[in-house]
Amino acid sequence: QTERLLKMTLEERRKEYLGDYVALKAIPTWMEDLKNKSESDGENAKEDVQGKKSLSEKVSLYRGDITLLEVDAIVNAGRWLNIS
């Protein structure tokens, strides 16, 4: 099953989905989100995001059902604390 999926194009994979999905292109980056909020508030977006540019162009914040995201894997990077 995995090999078959890896050989498929994105469009072929999308035909295999059972329900709705959220494409990553549909989720704005942190930078885009800040610009949109600043523009709607009538503020200068460049002032709000200075110093955050490199990270904010790579990170997207998503609020919703993560199982609907069009991603290859969902990983929990939480840290467990073992107290004896």
Side-chain angles (χ1 to χ4, degrees), residues 6-47:
L6 290 173
K7 292 177 183 177
M8 294 174 129
T9 67
L10 183 58
E11 292 305 316
E12 290 170 334
R13 283 187 195 184
R14 286 179 173 167
K15 290 177 186 175
E16 298 283 319
Y17 298 161
L18 298 176
D20 293 334
Y21 66 93
V22 178
L24 293 182
K25 289 181 181 180
I27 304 170
T29 64
W30 191 6
M31 171 79 73
E32 292 166 344
D33 193 44
L34 287 172
K35 283 181 181 178
N36 291 339
K37 286 179 182 175
S38 294
E39 288 171 4
S40 67
D41 292 341
E43 297 175 10
N44 186 347
K46 289 183 181 177
E47 291 176 10

Side-chain angles (χ1 to χ4, degrees), residues 29-84:
T29 64
W30 191 6
M31 171 79 73
E32 292 166 344
D33 193 44
L34 287 172
K35 283 181 181 178
N36 291 339
K37 286 179 182 175
S38 294
E39 288 171 4
S40 67
D41 292 341
E43 297 175 10
N44 186 347
K46 289 183 181 177
E47 291 176 10
D48 293 342
V49 296
Q50 276 185 345
K52 303 176 192 172
K53 192 169 185 174
S54 63
L55 179 62
S56 63
E57 288 177 329
K58 298 175 184 179
V59 173
S60 296
L61 303 176
Y62 177 74
R63 180 177 287 172
D65 184 352
I66 62 171
T67 63
L68 297 178
L69 290 175
E70 185 179 32
V71 295
D72 292 329
I74 297 172
V75 178
N76 180 355
R79 181 176 170 218
W80 289 90
L81 185 59
N82 186 5
I83 301 175
S84 307

